[in-house]
Amino acid sequence: MRKLFITVFLFLCWGLSFAQTRTYADNASNSFVFGLESYLYGDAGALHFSAFGREFVVSISSGNILVDGAMLSEGVGDTIVGVHDFTGDKEAELVLARRTDSGISATVFAFKGGSWKSLVQISQPGASEIRIFRQVISVRSGEALHSWTWRGGGFDYKSSLQ
């Protein structure tokens, strides 16, 4: 009986440890991407981070995203840039996300060969938020849950509709 109790208790602790909550800063900033290690939300500003032994500066200016002064993306809507290690190599990947009235889009970039390369592009009409946990990006759109999971060399896509 004791062994059963310990097994159930440990399983319950394990399951609850995966819960992802919004922080006060997320609520205060009206963020729509949760789980980034650090991020910048808004129309203007700069995010400083380290990866591959270098310091990078990502800036937002009137919908334009620049990395160290080079244009990475142009667009409209609420904008978030942030960092998260999807690949498990202890180096940050760059996440760029935009929210408009029609839905959410996001792109994950990795620094390879001296420049930022896209690993995955996500677009979900009708979605209002993105959740990131470990190697998974999740987006709920209506009744469907869509997820992209990093597996070795790329992201695998799954949908609850399949």
Side-chain angles (χ1 to χ4, degrees):
M1 182 68 171
R2 183 175 179 192
K3 188 175 183 178
L4 176 64
F5 174 77
I6 291 172
T7 303
V8 170
F9 176 76
L10 291 175
F11 183 77
L12 184 61
C13 289
W14 173 78
L16 293 176
S17 69
F18 290 100
Q20 188 177 35
T21 59
R22 295 179 184 176
T23 66
Y24 174 78
D26 291 334
N27 289 332
S29 70
N30 197 23
S31 176
F32 58 93
V33 179
F34 306 103
L36 293 170
E37 294 166 17
S38 63
Y39 67 91
L40 172 65
Y41 172 66
D43 295 329
L47 174 69
H48 300 259
F49 69 97
S50 299
F52 301 98
R54 290 187 50 190
E55 293 291 321
F56 294 96
V57 178
V58 180
S59 58
I60 302 174
S61 177
S62 302
N64 298 328
I65 309 299
L66 300 114
V67 179
D68 293 336
M71 181 71 71
L72 185 62
S73 174
E74 297 177 275
V76 296
D78 294 336
T79 304
I80 289 181
V81 293
V83 293
H84 184 80
D85 180 14
F86 290 100
T87 59
D89 62 359
K90 300 192 187 326
E91 299 291 352
E93 282 76 45
L94 183 61
V95 179
L96 182 145
R98 296 185 193 274
R99 177 177 59 186
T100 63
D101 291 339
S102 60
I104 284 184
S105 64
T107 305
V108 176
F109 294 92
F111 191 71
K112 293 182 178 181
S115 63
W116 291 95
K117 310 285 185 196
S118 174
L119 295 178
V120 67
Q121 294 181 344
I122 297 167
S123 180
Q124 285 299 314
S128 60
E129 67 182 36
I130 296 171
R131 297 207 176 247
I132 296 172
F133 186 71
R134 295 191 182 168
Q135 284 81 25
V136 181
I137 303 168
S138 301
V139 179
R140 183 170 299 282
S141 181
E143 294 296 316
L145 178 65
H146 306 275
S147 65
W148 292 261
T149 304
W150 177 262
R151 298 205 196 278
F155 281 91
D156 291 338
Y157 170 75
K158 285 194 176 192
S159 171
S160 63
L161 298 177
Q162 296 175 338

